[in-house]
Amino acid sequence: MKQSQPRPVAKQSVENQTTDNLREFILSGSVQPGARLTEVALADQMGVARATLRTGLQRLASEGIVVQIPYTGWQVADLSVDDVWELWTLRASLESLAAKLAAQSPDPAVREHIANAYDALLAACRRGNMKKISDCDFALHRVIVESAGHSRLARQYQLVEQQVRLYIATSNNVAEGPDDIMEQHRPMAEALLAGDADRAAHEAWQHSESEGKRLLAWLREKASP
Amino acid sequence: MKQSQPRPVAKQSVENQTTDNLREFILSGSVQPGARLTEVALADQMGVARATLRTGLQRLASEGIVVQIPYTGWQVADLSVDDVWELWTLRASLESLAAKLAAQSPDPAVREHIANAYDALLAACRRGNMKKISDCDFALHRVIVESAGHSRLARQYQLVEQQVRLYIATSNNVAEGPDDIMEQHRPMAEALLAGDADRAAHEAWQHSESEGKRLLAWLREKASP
DNA sequence: TGGCGGATGATTGTCGACAATCGGTTATCT
DNA sequence: AGATAACCGATTGTCGACAATCATCCGCCA
């Protein structure tokens, strides 16, 4: 019986806990991009010393989530349209590399995981449940990145995703129909399942690029009413 | 007369100075990969409080230059062959994106800067001065990355370069002849100067990949005598 | 009234001291 | 003699206090 054992303690320094909690707080959309954060208030709210909190803030600054204003305060990063373009092109480049490496992988489990994730996306699209589609879309991308077997790539991808999430959590994303989503993912998924590395890289780039272009067009339209 | 004015003070916090000095110290090869660093000794040597030094170490940890061992000490990052592969593939992907964006740039100055840097590399190769060749090779790559007009890309490229430099500064790099270096850079440079974005991206990837493969082969041979 | 300089409050930057943890050594038990 | 537990020194983790900086406000002068 599992209940006969106490739960193991997940040891984590206060610095790391503080950093993780702060990151989650910001990425959850609880504060707006551009919002000012002060060490004194946050340290008080989080029940830690200010120096401990500074470690967290500096970590989040290196992740691009906050910006340090010396002697004045900190701000939640506010992404311009150019910033979004940079993040999206970077993400596309990383996805392209991930797709190439995943397609090259000799491990049959890789092919299987990607096929399962793609099938789940197709099933969600046929059911038309947009929340489920979004989840499966995200899951497919994550499986591809994890299948690349490249820890730095996965880490960079996560950092870029975080920053994109910071922006999108405070904006309504452009909605798309299930048929479009299926069609967009088909060439990339086929290349991946066929083990065609160059085509997988190319199609992953095309997919990300078209997605990014649509988002940028929407942002520009929103910025000029 | 310039001498009639005192030199302006470059204001920089002690935290940032400490971080920069520490980074330079490590990247200069003064300490070996895997070497243990302690906060007490470094803070004493650098004449700052330990907490100030911690800021620097944590920053360098996020850059991949040092590794934190909780309650024990810090280590200069020691790159395995797999690490080098990861850094090299990441670098190739970033260079490929930079080449694509630079080739797409409508600004004629971009074309001119790349042409100048390529000409300098060719001239150095004809003279056969290996130090000069190395400098021009590096300069060409840097011009391409800067020409992409993508600050995050430039930043990521620099971070990857730093880590590669950490490793190579302590190893003898594989020497290559001037003719080979000229030949390797020709397809990429031609595509860039022709404004052919897709070919520039492809050739940049090919160039970086072949360079990385040769380094990895050399490392694997060195690891098994 | 407008501009400039100084003061002030709010914040961050830096410091040294105390608390927590780890790895190695020594002592004790079987 | 080998295994285990306790101890200890060296280090990092965390804290609160003092120092430095910035932006804003107020007062003064032309």
Side-chain angles (χ1 to χ4, degrees):
Chain A
M1 285 287 207
K2 286 194 199 170
Q3 299 96 319
S4 65
Q5 295 186 352
R7 189 181 317 164
V9 177
K11 291 170 64 173
Q12 191 176 21
S13 69
V14 177
E15 278 177 341
N16 284 339
Q17 290 176 60
T18 303
T19 305
D20 290 348
N21 288 4
L22 191 55
R23 185 191 292 112
E24 185 53 42
F25 172 66
I26 295 172
L27 291 184
S28 70
S30 304
V31 279
Q32 296 282 76
R36 182 168 177 252
L37 304 174
T38 65
E39 297 176 7
V40 172
L42 284 175
D44 188 48
Q45 287 157 20
M46 298 179 88
V48 296
R50 197 163 60 74
T52 307
L53 176 82
R54 274 178 73 76
T55 301
L57 280 167
Q58 276 153 355
R59 176 65 185 275
L60 296 194
S62 77
E63 293 178 18
I65 296 177
V66 297
V67 176
Q68 183 177 23
I69 321 285
Y71 290 107
T72 304
W74 302 72
Q75 285 189 339
V76 179
D78 194 0
L79 302 182
S80 66
V81 172
D82 275 355
D83 290 325
V84 175
W85 170 74
E86 287 195 357
L87 288 168
W88 218 276
T89 46
L90 213 39
R91 180 181 156 181
S93 179
L94 293 171
E95 288 210 353
S96 179
L97 177 59
K100 179 193 267 290
L101 296 176
Q104 281 173 352
S105 175
D107 184 359
V110 165
R111 201 95 1 119
E112 187 180 347
H113 291 154
I114 292 168
N116 289 345
Y118 182 52
D119 287 344
L121 178 62
L122 294 184
C125 288
R126 283 191 285 262
R127 267 185 247 121
N129 176 343
M130 292 311 298
K131 174 66 169 60
K132 186 73 176 175
I133 291 172
S134 176
D135 291 346
C136 291
D137 190 342
F138 180 68
L140 174 61
H141 286 271
R142 196 177 51 216
V143 166
I144 294 169
V145 169
E146 282 167 6
S147 301
H150 190 311
S151 60
R152 280 176 176 80
L153 170 59
R155 174 71 179 143
Q156 285 307 313
Y157 187 80
Q158 186 195 11
L159 291 180
V160 172
E161 273 284 309
Q162 277 183 178
Q163 291 178 63
V164 174
R165 182 174 153 204
L166 177 65
Y167 195 76
I168 292 179
T170 59
S171 319
N172 289 330
N173 198 4
V174 201
E176 252 186 315
D179 290 342
D180 288 336
I181 294 175
M182 281 168 77
E183 191 50 36
Q184 282 168 26
H185 288 89
R186 191 181 53 78
M188 174 177 73
E190 284 178 355
L192 278 162
L193 296 177
D196 186 342
D198 288 340
R199 196 155 82 85
H202 174 74
E203 297 296 346
W205 171 269
Q206 291 297 124
H207 166 49
S208 264
E209 190 182 44
S210 69
E211 204 173 34
K213 273 179 178 167
R214 196 174 46 249
L215 178 61
L216 284 173
W218 179 73
L219 290 173
R220 287 186 179 119
E221 183 183 326
K222 196 175 119 187
S224 50
Chain B
M1 286 287 203
K2 287 192 198 170
Q3 299 96 317
S4 65
Q5 295 187 353
R7 190 182 315 165
V9 176
K11 291 170 65 171
Q12 193 177 20
S13 71
V14 178
E15 278 177 342
N16 284 339
Q17 288 176 59
T18 303
T19 305
D20 291 347
N21 287 2
L22 191 55
R23 184 190 295 112
E24 185 53 42
F25 172 64
I26 294 172
L27 292 183
S28 70
S30 304
V31 279
Q32 296 282 76
R36 183 168 177 250
L37 303 175
T38 66
E39 297 175 8
V40 173
L42 283 175
D44 187 49
Q45 287 158 20
M46 297 180 88
V48 295
R50 199 164 58 74
T52 307
L53 177 81
R54 274 179 73 77
T55 301
L57 281 167
Q58 276 154 353
R59 177 64 189 275
L60 296 193
S62 77
E63 293 180 17
I65 296 177
V66 297
V67 177
Q68 181 176 21
I69 321 287
Y71 290 108
T72 305
W74 303 71
Q75 285 189 340
V76 179
D78 194 358
L79 302 182
S80 67
V81 172
D82 276 353
D83 289 326
V84 175
W85 171 73
E86 287 195 355
L87 287 168
W88 218 277
T89 46
L90 214 37
R91 180 182 155 182
S93 181
L94 294 172
E95 287 207 355
S96 179
L97 177 59
K100 179 194 264 292
L101 296 176
Q104 281 172 353
S105 175
D107 184 358
V110 166
R111 203 90 6 113
E112 188 179 348
H113 290 153
I114 292 170
N116 289 345
Y118 182 52
D119 288 344
L121 177 62
L122 294 183
C125 288
R126 282 191 287 265
R127 269 185 246 122
N129 176 345
M130 291 311 298
K131 173 66 169 63
K132 187 71 177 177
I133 291 172
S134 178
D135 290 346
C136 292
D137 191 341
F138 180 68
L140 174 62
H141 287 271
R142 195 178 54 220
V143 167
I144 294 169
V145 168
E146 282 165 5
S147 301
H150 191 313
S151 61
R152 281 175 175 79
L153 171 57
R155 175 70 180 144
Q156 286 303 312
Y157 187 79
Q158 186 197 9
L159 290 180
V160 171
E161 272 286 308
Q162 279 185 175
Q163 291 178 62
V164 173
R165 184 174 151 203
L166 177 65
Y167 195 76
I168 291 179
T170 58
S171 318
N172 290 329
N173 198 4
V174 202
E176 251 186 315
D179 291 341
D180 289 335
I181 293 176
M182 281 169 77
E183 192 50 35
Q184 282 167 26
H185 288 87
R186 191 181 53 80
M188 174 178 71
E190 284 178 355
L192 278 161
L193 296 176
D196 186 341
D198 288 339
R199 197 155 81 85
H202 174 75
E203 296 296 347
W205 171 269
Q206 292 298 124
H207 166 51
S208 262
E209 190 180 47
S210 68
E211 203 174 35
K213 274 179 177 166
R214 196 174 47 251
L215 177 61
L216 284 172
W218 178 75
L219 290 173
R220 287 188 178 119
E221 183 184 324
K222 196 178 116 182
S224 49

